Amino acid sequence: MNEKENLYKEIDLLIETIDNYKNEPNFSIEKNRRQNKIVSDFKNDNEILKTFAYLIAYSQNANSELVEQILKSGNYDKAFENFEIDKVAKLNPCDIADNSWESIKGIRQQGKLFHIVTLARKIKVIGSFYKLLNDINIPKKIKTEDDIENFWNGFDILLKTLKENKIPFFQSTTSLLHFLLDSGYDCVKPDLVVMKVAKKLKFVEEETGDKNFRKAVRVIQEYSLERNVRPTIIDFYFLIDEAQRGAKKYVKEEFYKRNK
């Protein structure tokens, strides 16, 4: 048995163990949602800006449940002119803080207001992020090994453009993967939880570092292709294994007591 087969066997075992403690029907509902997530068909830069802004809202340890309430209320969209990029680019972040902070302060940091306005202005400098994303043509679903190669080739082109234009928040491997994951692409965000499991299963040497982030995501993509599931499903199992706050509810409490 070669190294890759051994690694895949370890992932199989983790999945099999978690499956023995499933909390149904919630577990299957969430798993099916992830497996069937549709890739966002962005039609303009307004939709791109909104997606970026929502990810920024959740960032930097903001309370995810509180942020979700704010987004559902419509107050966030209202504060940013419903993310019409031409209007957002003309906004003054100080005015947004004066007029809307009380209703959206759950995002935690007023600096995010500045970042979103700057983001709108930077996208306009690029010309069109929507067009750029389509022109690079990163594979939205991974169905072959070539798709994995093309994913990372396109990813590097996109990341280079974001860095050259100093796009706030999305100049790193992790943040750009988060955007693509949220948009339905076949990848995962290599956050601390995912990287802890990756190190435990010994397919990365360390939990940090760009090289390790990329390797972790690529191994998950390759495993997913081999097992005919989407990477976000593997992400789901990793989050459960590391007892991520929002994922613990999908398994019985006994799962976390089994090794005590």
Side-chain angles (χ1 to χ4, degrees), residues 155 159 163 172-174 208-215:
F155 179 89
L159 186 60
K163 287 182 176 179
S172 71
T173 294
T174 301
T208 58
D210 194 72
K211 178 183 176 182
N212 291 310
F213 294 155
R214 287 167 176 261
K215 184 175 182 182

Side-chain angles (χ1 to χ4, degrees), residues 88-214:
V88 177
K90 296 175 182 176
L91 291 174
N92 183 326
C94 295
D95 291 339
I96 301 172
D98 289 342
N99 298 328
S100 304
W101 184 246
E102 192 60 32
S103 65
I104 64 171
K105 62 184 179 182
I107 68 173
R108 287 196 70 228
Q109 298 183 19
Q110 288 193 3
K112 294 180 181 181
L113 311 180
F114 173 80
H115 289 308
I116 293 168
V117 172
T118 302
L119 187 57
R121 294 171 182 173
K122 293 285 189 179
I123 290 174
K124 288 179 68 64
V125 169
I126 290 174
S128 171
F129 192 92
Y130 151 75
K131 185 176 184 301
L132 175 65
L133 192 58
N134 284 335
D135 287 349
I136 293 174
N137 200 28
I138 298 172
K140 295 177 178 177
K141 288 192 176 182
I142 290 175
K143 299 177 180 177
T144 67
E145 291 184 4
D146 284 344
D147 286 339
I148 296 176
E149 291 296 331
N150 291 333
F151 177 94
W152 288 103
N153 289 337
F155 179 89
D156 284 335
I157 293 170
L158 185 57
L159 186 60
K160 183 173 182 287
T161 301
L162 296 180
K163 287 182 176 179
E164 288 174 347
N165 287 276
K166 296 182 172 58
I167 298 293
F169 259 89
F170 297 96
Q171 294 183 50
S172 71
T173 294
T174 301
S175 59
L176 183 53
L177 282 168
H178 192 189
F179 166 73
L180 294 174
L181 169 66
D182 190 75
S183 302
Y185 286 75
D186 275 343
C187 63
V188 299
K189 176 191 176 188
D191 57 18
L192 183 59
V193 170
V194 168
M195 295 306 296
K196 279 185 177 180
V197 181
K199 185 180 180 183
K200 181 172 69 174
L201 296 179
K202 299 180 180 177
F203 59 88
V204 297
E205 296 177 359
E206 301 293 340
E207 296 172 10
T208 58
D210 194 72
K211 178 183 176 182
N212 291 310
F213 294 155
R214 287 167 176 261

Side-chain angles (χ1 to χ4, degrees), residues 18-78:
I18 290 173
D19 280 343
N20 289 330
Y21 294 88
K22 293 186 290 188
N23 241 339
E24 296 290 16
N26 290 343
F27 184 96
S28 292
I29 290 171
E30 175 62 14
K31 187 175 177 180
N32 288 335
R33 184 191 71 80
R34 287 169 172 260
Q35 181 68 22
N36 298 309
K37 183 175 175 62
I38 297 171
V39 181
S40 299
D41 183 21
F42 294 115
K43 294 181 170 58
N44 54 55
D45 285 314
N46 297 344
E47 294 178 0
I48 294 277
L49 178 61
K50 182 174 181 177
T51 299
F52 276 142
Y54 274 39
L55 292 178
I56 289 172
Y58 280 108
S59 70
Q60 298 177 324
N61 297 316
N63 183 307
S64 59
E65 294 178 357
L66 187 55
V67 172
E68 184 178 4
Q69 292 175 11
I70 291 168
L71 300 184
K72 285 182 177 179
S73 74
N75 291 328
Y76 195 60
D77 293 39
K78 184 179 178 181

